[in-house]
Amino acid sequence: PLRIAVLASGRGSNLAALLAACERGELAAEFVLVASDKATAGALRLAQDAGIPTLVLDPKAYPDRRAFDLDLFGKLAASGAELVVLAGFMRILDGEAIAPWAGRMLNIHPSLLPRYRGLHTHRRALEAGDLEHGASVHFVTAELDGGPVVAQAVLPIEPGEDEQRLAQRLLPLEHRLLPAVVALIAEGRLAWRDGTPWLDGAPLAAPMRL
Ligand code: GAR
């Protein structure tokens, strides 16, 4: 099984989806660590209940972002993780600290990248009058929400719906998308070569629609 570390700042429903996919036999993974920048993150409780080691690092205990990230990613390396999954990890990452993880770190982002990098993606999609919204899983690079997109889930926006409802309707799609992409990596079908995602032995020309 693929050794995975998950970083999460919040509720942890995407972590729960990964664990559930494992339970169902759809993802051959061993979760070696769940780490958070927030001691109150629901993801930590989920991990503890599943018997997964947890780690909390308080950003305020570090002089700057780079010091925090170097410590965090050093600890991830020590955990033996082969893949890092950002599942609602709400921090900007230092390029130097994450360089060793190039091609070995995924993020799920609640928009159809390259649209709406950063925060408040649901609100921004609604304000723009978009007809569809979605979520993306991408390899993480130093550019915020800017790494190569591997797969997307698309959702039609309903007339008159608000931000909260849109986010709520998107979430179950996220919960299918993220485990599906992680499973492709665990199966050796999806890989990273020279800065490009490859699927089944060929460069991925466009994001998969899952
Ligand atoms: C998810 O919607 C995820 O896409 C988003 O945070 C939420 C976490 O929910 N991630 C980002 O916004 C990353 N910038 P969860 O804690 O229930 O998985």
Side-chain angles (χ1 to χ4, degrees), residues 107-120:
N107 179 43
I108 181 155
H109 182 76
S111 80
L112 293 173
L113 290 171
R115 295 186 76 110
Y116 315 127
R117 296 176 183 180
L119 298 175
H120 310 302

Side-chain angles (χ1 to χ4, degrees), residues 89-204:
F89 191 59
M90 303 304 283
R91 286 179 57 83
I92 291 172
L93 298 172
D94 176 80
E96 182 186 304
I98 64 170
W101 294 90
R104 298 192 295 141
M105 179 154 45
L106 293 175
N107 179 43
I108 181 155
H109 182 76
S111 80
L112 293 173
L113 290 171
R115 295 186 76 110
Y116 315 127
R117 296 176 183 180
L119 298 175
H120 310 302
T121 56
H122 314 297
R123 186 193 311 167
R124 288 156 70 199
L126 289 168
E127 282 171 1
D130 291 355
L131 297 177
E132 55 180 29
H133 187 45
S136 305
V137 173
H138 65 93
F139 280 107
V140 175
T141 63
E143 193 182 354
L144 176 67
D145 301 325
V149 176
V150 173
Q152 295 181 316
V154 182
L155 178 71
I157 291 179
E158 289 178 353
E161 73 178 320
D162 64 10
E163 184 181 345
Q164 192 192 340
R165 180 179 152 86
L166 180 56
Q168 188 185 325
R169 289 200 306 120
L170 181 62
L171 202 56
L173 276 65
E174 294 192 42
H175 295 164
R176 283 203 304 273
L177 182 68
L178 183 59
V181 174
V182 174
L184 287 174
I185 291 184
E187 292 160 11
R189 294 182 56 197
L190 175 64
W192 174 266
R193 288 188 210 163
D194 305 327
T196 309
W198 283 56
L199 180 70
D200 295 332
L204 189 64

Side-chain angles (χ1 to χ4, degrees), residues 54-69:
T54 59
L55 171 70
V56 181
L57 298 182
D58 180 359
K60 291 197 288 295
Y62 297 80
D64 56 25
R65 178 185 308 284
R66 175 160 294 174
F68 176 90
D69 286 357

